[in-house]
Amino acid sequence: MADEEGEGELVSPNTDILDAEVDEAHPDFNIKPSLKDKFKPGKAKEIIRAVLEEEFKDKPYDGKQSNQIVQKLSKIIKSKVEAVTHQNYKIVVEVTLVEQRGAGIRSDLKCIWDSDADGLASEVFISEHLVCHASVIALYYY
């Protein structure tokens, strides 16, 4: 009776997809960014350095405006780095601004990431009036 209703018959799988040619130039899914799409820390450092020098060259430290300055710098750096970075990267910018009084500053960033795809760029601007440390973290979305 099982043979009459077709329940006992085996159906062969569709193997056409296995025989199709793979287009190596345009794969459907990339687990890692290609070499040309990888985050370029050197380019990000150039951007950070240029933004910090433009903002702070020959300017004194203003503690009342430091919060707004840090927010503005973060937005500028983020937008400029995003413009030269692959769209699958999430860009995070951290800026620290302190008055130069002869003491040191220690900054620490912690993040769990994929060392093959993610990256970090950091730059410090030091003048007689202030110290500004800016870091860019680029995290690749899979």
Side-chain angles (χ1 to χ4, degrees):
M1 180 136 162
D3 291 334
E4 292 175 17
E5 295 176 10
E7 290 179 22
E9 294 179 28
L10 294 176
V11 178
S12 62
N14 182 359
T15 59
D16 292 339
I17 194 156
L18 299 175
D19 297 331
E21 291 185 29
V22 176
D23 184 6
E24 295 294 332
H26 299 91
D28 293 333
F29 181 73
N30 288 328
I31 191 76
K32 303 269 185 199
S34 66
L35 186 59
K36 72 176 184 69
D37 293 335
K38 274 190 159 185
F39 176 70
K40 312 269 188 305
K43 183 65 178 168
K45 284 182 77 133
E46 290 174 16
I47 291 169
I48 296 168
R49 186 180 307 116
V51 169
L52 295 182
E53 285 178 357
E54 181 180 326
E55 179 67 29
F56 295 122
K57 191 156 181 106
D58 302 324
K59 288 187 180 176
Y61 176 78
D62 183 3
K64 294 177 183 175
Q65 295 295 318
S66 63
N67 192 31
Q68 290 83 7
I69 292 169
V70 166
Q71 290 177 6
K72 179 179 86 170
L73 289 175
S74 296
K75 289 177 184 176
I76 292 170
I77 292 169
K78 182 177 181 181
S79 67
K80 289 186 176 194
V81 170
E82 283 178 338
V84 298
T85 304
H86 189 270
Q87 65 185 7
N88 283 17
Y89 278 97
K90 168 72 175 172
I91 303 298
V92 179
V93 179
E94 185 268 340
V95 178
T96 304
L97 177 63
V98 296
E99 187 173 10
Q100 173 72 288
R101 290 191 168 184
I105 180 174
R106 175 176 263 171
S107 181
D108 189 18
L109 291 171
K110 293 183 180 182
C111 184
I112 297 174
W113 67 18
D114 179 358
S115 61
D116 291 334
D118 303 334
L120 170 71
S122 184
E123 192 67 33
V124 178
F125 179 86
I126 301 173
S127 73
E128 64 183 70
H129 305 290
L130 57 88
V131 176
C132 185
H133 177 257
S135 296
V136 172
I137 300 171
L139 303 168
Y140 189 76
Y141 278 120
Y142 293 101

